[in-house]
Amino acid sequence: MKMKQLTALVLAGMMILPAAAVTADDSAVEAIKAKGKVVMTTNAEFEPFEFKDGDEIVGIDKEIAEKIAEKLGVELEITDIAFDSLIPSLNAGKADFIAAGMTATDERRKNVDFSDDYFNASQTIIVAADSDIAGREDLDGKVVGVQQGTTGDIYCTNEDGSGDINVKEVKRYPKGMDAVSDLMTGRVDAVVIDDFPAQKLVEKNPDKIKTLDEAMTEETYAIAVPLGSDLVDVINEVIKDLNESGEMDKIVGKYISTEEE
Ligand code: ARG
């Protein structure tokens, strides 16, 4: 850039600097309050955490997000995009937070800040009802379907360096549901996905597919904000309140029925 242009930009920058711009830069919370809305981004292909009921996005994460909006005293807006676009979109300023059953991993922590954990999860295997595959070891040499960019993908491709698993091929799908469709037509031997979404997928086709008992990973879900965003404090307060009041259990209970019940 030429010096003159640079000077012009600096001057232009100084001219728009007063009050509003300064607060918006410093405090995401102030900017959100000024806008009157908070934007959550998600991938609504992950029942029971976020999925579509007609045109509406519903689920556990959506309900937590509503509480966040309530706490801020603003409206909630939701955008629904591909899972592996969530972090880039957040960091492009298109959303204020990600609530997407997202596992808080160290790799992701390089690009986002995570709230406190709000849910424990693990990767689970789904296979055809009559499959011989009984656990992780049986996946050796098999074709496995995953949702692109998820921890299931990272685990099966050994990108996490765990070296736990040695499959022949990992097929990546935009939606977990697409992987399950291919499982039912025999194009993949197994699907690896988070435990509760796995349960929901199997509930829709109980005579064709089943989940295996083995929990392959230990993961915790958290809400992501841009690095340094003060919104994380508000989100943590909401999570704490929901846990202490028993409201979190109520929300989860609406979508997940445990066997004991
Ligand atoms: N927990 C997994 C991950 O963080 C899967 C999340 C998928 N979420 C979704 N809304 N599609 O990678």
Side-chain angles (χ1 to χ4, degrees), residues 83-94 98:
F83 184 77
D84 57 357
S85 300
L86 291 173
I87 291 180
S89 177
L90 179 78
N91 283 330
K94 292 188 187 146
I98 303 170

Side-chain angles (χ1 to χ4, degrees), residues 42-43 45-46 50 83 100-103 108 147 149-151 194 219 221:
T42 193
N43 169 253
E45 301 291 346
F46 203 62
E50 44 270 328
F83 184 77
M102 184 175 269
T103 304
R108 289 173 181 158
Q147 187 185 20
T150 60
T151 42
D194 300 50
E219 306 181 17
Y221 295 165

